[in-house]
Amino acid sequence: MEWFDEYGWQIWTGLMVLLAAAELLSLDLVLLMLAAGAGVGILTALIGLPVAAQIIAALATSVAMLALVRPGIVKRLHSGPELTLGHDALVGKQGVVVAEVSADSGQVRINGELWTARAYDETRVIPEGARVDVFQIKGATALVHEIPRLDPPPNHSEN
């Protein structure tokens, strides 16, 4: 063990480099977490702690990294943007009424496409030319709601 006391930091450094290089082949982040533990082994060897303390510190760090850090990183790497495809991609979009929309019928243009539409609020009638939000798609019919228009205040000019 005298030899390890003298060359401990070099052994830990070699182990860390070996584990980090092996991680490039596995890409599972386990070996990288173990390499972080070896990094703590380097620090404990440099400050002169006994070999047993170096090993305990390296193991504790490795276990903590595997339990606390790795799951979050893996989750981030494996999740991506949520893709909405088909009709669901139209929900939340805006369109323009091309034929008056009521509870029974109507047509809107959404993303350049003509869609059959009905008013989401069955008591409303949406006039032609109004801008609408798409709330839901049922089959081939868009359920829409008129976007309230803010008319500019009248221009009061004094003569």
Side-chain angles (χ1 to χ4, degrees), residues 46-72:
L46 287 173
I47 62 173
L49 292 178
V51 175
Q54 294 173 28
I55 292 171
I56 290 170
L59 285 175
T61 301
S62 295
V63 169
M65 294 290 284
L66 286 168
L68 303 174
V69 175
R70 184 180 176 273

Side-chain angles (χ1 to χ4, degrees), residues 19-102:
L19 288 168
E23 176 62 40
L24 294 174
L25 299 174
S26 75
L27 297 176
D28 197 31
L29 297 178
V30 172
L31 297 176
L32 189 62
M33 301 300 126
L34 297 177
V40 170
I42 295 169
L43 295 175
T44 56
L46 287 173
I47 62 173
L49 292 178
V51 175
Q54 294 173 28
I55 292 171
I56 290 170
L59 285 175
T61 301
S62 295
V63 169
M65 294 290 284
L66 286 168
L68 303 174
V69 175
R70 184 180 176 273
I73 294 173
V74 169
K75 184 177 179 182
R76 258 197 193 169
L77 289 174
H78 289 237
S79 68
E82 190 171 315
L83 299 176
T84 53
L85 303 171
H87 300 340
D88 292 336
L90 295 176
V91 174
K93 299 282 185 191
Q94 293 185 356
V96 177
V97 176
V98 293
E100 184 179 84
V101 175
S102 65

